[in-house]
Amino acid sequence: EVQLVESGGGLVKPGGSLRLSCAASGFTFSYAWMNWVRQAPGKGLEWVGRVKSRIDGEPTDYAAPVKGRFTISRDASKNVLYLQMNSLKTEDTGVYFCTTGFNPLGAWGQGTLVTVSS
Amino acid sequence: DIQMTQSPSTLSASVGDRVTITCRASQSVNYWLAWYQQKPGNAPKLLIYKASSLHSGVPSRFSGSGSGTEFTLTISSLQPDDFATYFCQQYDTSWTFGQGTKVEIK
């Protein structure tokens, strides 16, 4: 069974940093394109960024609001996806989900809440 | 960036109704379009991918159609479990989500 479990969320002050983790199981992690998606309280879904597979060379892409502040990486030996978030802003507050997207199809974690507030 | 526009934003319907939600892309996304259902406090659930392919385990009352810039999600006979928020998503160029359609009880 494909499973994704996020952790690492919490309360952080503006300008601070936080690293989220996503533990993956049930599929060949190094072959999957992995994404982070976030959802501000009461709002819609916003794509944060992705890392492509090892075969593709693991390039990363980011949405404009987080480019230069967030970094996505993966540790294939541990089957863990990371989201390093620096220079956090209040508008980064929300639930952060990791997801495979479409290969495997439709796997999402339960999300981890990040609150940026003074 | 590709923008996705859903309509309506809110939809009031009764059990048994046929429901249609529309999603328009600012440029062609071919058939790289997905639909999700989300309930409060839960992660989104994939319903439809490649515009019209039903994800495993999703009831057949859900269907998707369209290509290019215009897409629809149809629920043929609304069930109590279907009251939720629905999002479209393009995955032709990076990812972009529509703003969501909340399906409420009439």
Side-chain angles (χ1 to χ4, degrees):
Chain A
E1 180 195 2
V2 175
Q3 199 167 12
L4 299 170
V5 180
E6 302 94 337
S7 60
L11 176 63
V12 61
K13 288 182 167 48
S17 297
L18 206 59
R19 188 177 81 158
L20 306 183
S21 300
C22 170
S25 60
F27 64 102
T28 307
F29 180 68
S30 59
Y31 288 179
W33 290 20
M34 297 299 299
N35 295 262
W36 287 97
V37 172
R38 68 184 180 183
Q39 188 167 36
K43 302 296 184 185
L45 300 167
E46 180 184 24
W47 178 73
V48 171
R50 71 174 168 209
V51 58
K52 295 185 180 179
S53 69
R54 175 172 284 184
I55 293 173
D56 295 309
E58 298 185 345
T60 51
D61 301 290
Y62 300 93
V66 308
K67 201 167 187 177
R69 299 188 298 123
F70 289 14
T71 302
I72 297 172
S73 62
R74 66 201 297 165
D75 184 336
S77 67
K78 297 179 181 177
N79 281 5
V80 178
L81 175 73
Y82 299 104
L83 178 64
Q84 177 66 46
M85 304 185 293
N86 298 331
S87 302
L88 281 160
K89 306 175 181 180
T90 55
E91 53 263 39
D92 294 319
T93 292
V95 176
Y96 285 70
F97 299 97
C98 66
T99 171
T100 59
F102 303 96
N103 185 21
L105 267 176
W108 288 65
Q110 83 289 349
T112 187
L113 176 62
V114 172
T115 303
V116 184
S117 174
S118 54
Chain B
D1 290 3
I2 299 176
Q3 309 300 318
M4 306 300 292
T5 304
Q6 276 182 246
S7 60
S9 297
T10 306
L11 189 160
S12 297
S14 302
V15 172
D17 283 354
R18 181 181 182 87
V19 165
T20 299
I21 300 169
T22 299
C23 182
R24 288 189 174 87
S26 59
Q27 65 189 72
S28 176
V29 298
N30 297 297
Y31 47 80
W32 301 114
L33 191 286
W35 291 96
Y36 294 85
Q37 178 194 70
Q38 188 181 32
K39 296 183 179 178
N42 291 330
K45 282 187 178 179
L46 179 66
L47 300 174
I48 303 283
Y49 63 100
K50 265 194 198 176
S52 60
S53 296
L54 194 68
H55 183 40
S56 175
V58 174
S60 59
R61 63 181 178 272
F62 291 92
S63 64
S65 64
S67 65
T69 62
E70 189 140 341
F71 302 87
T72 58
L73 172 71
T74 300
I75 309 172
S76 61
S77 177
L78 198 65
Q79 298 302 299
D81 190 48
D82 301 339
F83 292 98
T85 300
Y86 294 83
F87 294 94
C88 64
Q89 176 208 26
Q90 70 81 19
Y91 54 107
D92 178 76
T93 306
S94 298
W95 286 9
T96 316
F97 293 91
Q99 80 278 15
T101 296
K102 185 175 183 180
V103 177
E104 298 180 327
I105 299 173
K106 192 170 183 179

